[in-house]
Amino acid sequence: MRPTLVDHPTLVSRPALVSRAATARARSVALPLTLSLSLLATGCASLVGTGSTGDGADSAAARRTVSYWLWDSNQLPGYQRCATAFEAADPGTKVKISQIGWDDYWTKLTASMIAGTEPDVFTDHITKFAQFVDLDVLAPLDLLPATRSIKDSDYQPGLAASWTGQDGHRYGAPKDWDTVAMFYDKKKTDAAGISAETLNSLDWNPVDGGTFEKTIARLTVDTEGRRGDEPGFDRHSVATYGLAGNDAGEENGQTQWSAFTGSAGWSYTDKKAWGTHYNYDQKSFQSTIDWYFGLAEKGYLAPYTVFSKSNKADVQLGSGQAAIALHGAWMTRTIYNFPKIEARTALTPVGPSGKRATMRNGLADSLTRRGARKPAAQRWVAYLASDACQKEVGKQGIVFPASKAGTEVAVAAYRKQGIDVTAFTRPIADGTTFSFPVTNYAADVNALMRPAIQNVYANGAPASSLTTTNRQINRILAQDDGNR
C-alpha cells in the first residue's frame, strides 16, 4: 500500500504525504509521531527526461544548479574536489554543497521536505532509507537516463543491493562503506602484556566471556593500580576501563553489542532485508545482551553514567579512560590522531558460532523527486557513484568508497599515513559481515527499543524484558498485512 495524500495544516495549497505507518498507528496504541512530509504527487514516469525544477524556477541557471547535502565535515574537501571536476566536465552546471552536522542533519532534511526546499541530492543512511521510500520522496534511479546504468557489480558485494526497495527499484547510489573493529591503545596493552596477536585471536561466549573477557579484565585498572584479574580489584573505583562504553545501542547496537550478537549467530529479523518479524526475544540475543552489559557490573565496561555526548567511546579511549573501544572505520583518522595514545586496531572476537562478525554499513546518495526533474542532478548522482569521484574521495584516507577501485585507493592512502586498516577490510574479504536491519516502521522500532535497551544498560534490567518490546514491535510490523 502506498502512502495517501492529505491536506497539510500549514501547507493547504500543497498535498502532504503520510506514511502507511501513521495510518496504521492511528488505529493502534499511542506511539511517537512518524515523519510526515509534504510534496507534489508525481508518478515515476514524469521524472524521466523533464527539464523543469518542479518549483517554478525555470531559468537555465536554476536548472543547472544542483544542491547536495552531506553531514561529515571530514569528507567535505573530497566532495568539493569531485564537484570541481564535475563542473569542469559538465559546462554550465554548478554544485552547491551544504554540510550539516549529524545531530541536526535529519531534522533539517525533514523540515526542508515539508517546506518544499529539499536538496536535489543528499547523503542517505540505510536506517532512514525505508521510511523515505515509504513516504515516496525518493526518485527510482533505475528509471532515470543518467543513473539507470548503475550496476551492483560495480561496488563491494552487497552494497548496491541494500538500496533496492520492495518494489525492486534502486533508491540509492553506493557511496562508501564501513565495518566495526576494536581500537586499542598499544601503550596500555603493552603494559598489560597483551600482544597484537592475542588481540586478533580473541573469542567470547555468554557463559564465562572467553578470552575476550579475560583480556578486558586484565586491561581494567582501579584507582589503586590493581587490575581486574588481580586480588582486591575494586570495581566501584576504576581508573581505566578495559572496554569503553558507548550509549546502549538503540535498535541495532552497531558500535556496542552488534559484533557479539552477530557472532552468536543471531539475526535482527526473519529476512536479510525488509523483514517482517524482529528477533529480540530470542535466547541467543538475550543471553548475549545480559553478558555484554553485565561487564559493566563487573567493572570492565564503562558504566552508563560515564557515557555522555562529550565523553563517547572514542573520547574515553583518547583520554586514557579506556583501553579498547569498539568503533567504526569512519573514526579511524580521529582516533589515530589522539595525541595521548598509540592507536591500533584489531579484529572483533570469534563468537559461539565459531566465526567473528562485524556490521557492514554503506551510505548512498539519494535523489529527491524534486531533484530528479533536473537532468544535471541526475548526472551529479551518476558522477558521485563513478570511479572518478570515488577514487578522489579515497585519496583523502577518510572513508572506504563503495567502488572496488575507490577502496583500493583509500587503503593505499591509509597505508601512506602509517595506518593498517586490515581489521576493517578483512571481514569484507572473509565474508563475515552483516547489515543493518531494513524494515518498514524503522522510526517506531527505534522509538521502542531505545528506552528498553537503555534500561538494561543503565538500570540493570534483564534482557528478558525486551521480549515485551519485541512483541510491540512485531505488532506494528504485522499491521502492514491489513493495509495492503
Side-chain angles (χ1 to χ4, degrees):
M1 173 181 171
R2 299 302 298 174
T4 56
L5 291 170
V6 300
D7 290 329
H8 193 284
T10 60
L11 295 167
V12 178
S13 62
R14 301 187 67 203
L17 206 59
V18 176
S19 74
R20 62 179 174 231
T23 304
R25 285 198 307 281
R27 302 193 302 270
S28 183
V29 295
L31 291 173
L33 292 177
T34 192
L35 183 65
S36 178
L37 303 178
S38 175
L39 71 163
L40 295 176
T42 308
C44 295
S46 66
L47 296 176
V48 182
T50 62
S52 171
T53 61
D55 60 358
D58 292 322
S59 69
R63 291 196 302 270
R64 299 299 294 272
T65 298
V66 179
S67 56
Y68 177 52
W69 286 17
L70 50 74
W71 64 74
D72 190 349
S73 60
N74 291 327
Q75 295 189 57
L76 183 58
Y79 284 103
Q80 286 176 329
R81 290 185 176 87
C82 284
T84 298
F86 175 70
E87 290 170 351
D90 201 319
T93 298
K94 297 294 180 184
V95 178
K96 182 181 179 182
I97 301 179
S98 297
Q99 184 269 318
I100 302 168
W102 173 267
D103 289 341
D104 297 319
Y105 185 84
W106 299 106
T107 300
K108 291 186 176 181
L109 182 61
T110 299
S112 74
M113 289 179 175
I114 292 173
T117 58
E118 66 269 27
D120 298 315
V121 184
F122 67 95
T123 299
D124 205 349
H125 194 283
I126 199 69
T127 60
K128 310 292 184 181
F129 160 58
Q131 192 167 29
F132 285 136
V133 171
D134 185 48
L135 292 164
D136 205 24
V137 296
L138 304 182
L141 301 181
D142 53 307
L143 297 183
L144 301 173
T147 54
R148 63 164 59 111
S149 62
I150 292 174
K151 302 189 299 293
D152 290 6
S153 59
D154 291 337
Y155 307 97
Q156 295 292 350
L159 288 182
S162 298
W163 294 90
T164 301
Q166 289 174 287
D167 58 5
H169 293 302
R170 187 189 306 283
Y171 291 98
K175 180 184 188 70
D176 57 38
W177 63 270
D178 56 71
T179 52
V180 174
M182 297 193 302
F183 287 92
Y184 65 94
D185 181 359
K186 187 174 183 295
K187 293 179 182 178
K188 284 184 167 51
T189 56
D190 285 350
I194 299 170
S195 68
E197 291 74 20
T198 295
L199 290 166
N200 279 292
S201 59
L202 298 177
D203 61 67
W204 78 276
N205 66 75
V207 179
D208 63 15
T211 57
F212 175 79
E213 183 170 329
K214 289 182 173 62
T215 297
I216 63 168
R218 179 68 182 166
L219 290 168
T220 302
V221 183
D222 68 16
T223 53
E224 296 298 322
R226 294 169 298 217
R227 296 188 176 275
D229 60 354
E230 294 177 343
F233 167 72
D234 185 355
R235 64 186 178 91
H236 299 293
S237 184
V238 176
T240 299
Y241 295 96
L243 184 62
N246 226 328
D247 58 21
E250 302 182 344
E251 83 286 1
N252 59 74
Q254 181 183 19
T255 59
Q256 296 85 6
W257 40 263
S258 71
F260 301 104
T261 54
S263 58
W266 178 81
S267 298
Y268 293 93
T269 61
D270 56 338
K271 301 176 184 177
K272 285 187 176 181
W274 304 106
T276 60
H277 183 97
Y278 275 84
N279 297 322
Y280 298 123
D281 57 347
Q282 290 186 355
K283 182 178 179 181
S284 58
F285 173 78
Q286 293 185 358
S287 63
T288 300
I289 294 298
D290 279 331
W291 165 77
Y292 175 79
F293 288 120
L295 296 173
E297 282 293 310
K298 297 175 181 179
Y300 308 152
L301 167 67
Y304 189 74
T305 52
V306 167
F307 166 81
S308 70
K309 285 190 175 181
S310 60
N311 195 39
K312 298 180 181 180
D314 57 304
V315 177
Q316 294 168 35
L317 179 65
S319 66
Q321 197 173 13
I324 293 177
L326 282 162
H327 228 311
W330 66 90
M331 291 299 297
T332 301
R333 281 278 292 275
T334 297
I335 291 176
Y336 270 74
N337 284 337
F338 284 136
K340 295 182 179 180
I341 68 171
E342 191 175 342
R344 295 290 188 275
T345 56
L347 296 162
T348 57
V350 174
S353 68
K355 299 179 180 179
R356 62 182 86 253
T358 180
M359 179 177 278
R360 186 212 67 210
N361 185 30
L363 303 182
D365 289 307
S366 288
L367 182 66
T368 63
R369 285 186 170 271
R370 178 172 176 265
R373 298 184 183 93
K374 293 183 181 181
Q378 296 179 31
R379 294 194 297 272
W380 171 238
V381 173
Y383 187 74
L384 287 168
S386 71
D387 274 347
C389 179
Q390 300 215 355
K391 287 167 72 173
E392 184 61 50
V393 172
K395 291 177 185 177
Q396 312 306 309
I398 300 292
V399 295
F400 297 111
S403 74
K404 297 171 184 176
T407 294
E408 291 175 0
V409 171
V411 170
Y414 279 119
R415 187 182 302 118
K416 189 174 181 179
Q417 300 169 44
I419 299 174
D420 180 2
V421 292
T422 303
F424 300 108
T425 58
R426 180 173 160 184
I428 298 292
D430 290 348
T432 56
T433 66
F434 57 93
S435 301
F436 269 97
V438 178
T439 68
N440 292 320
Y441 308 109
D444 300 290
V445 175
N446 178 277
L448 286 166
M449 272 297 288
R450 184 175 186 180
I453 198 77
Q454 281 180 342
N455 192 36
V456 176
Y457 189 10
N459 303 317
S464 58
S465 63
L466 299 174
T467 296
T468 299
T469 304
N470 192 73
R471 190 178 301 119
Q472 293 169 336
I473 290 170
N474 288 336
R475 188 180 302 132
I476 292 172
L477 267 63
Q479 291 175 130
D480 259 354
D481 295 335
N483 288 326
R484 289 179 175 172

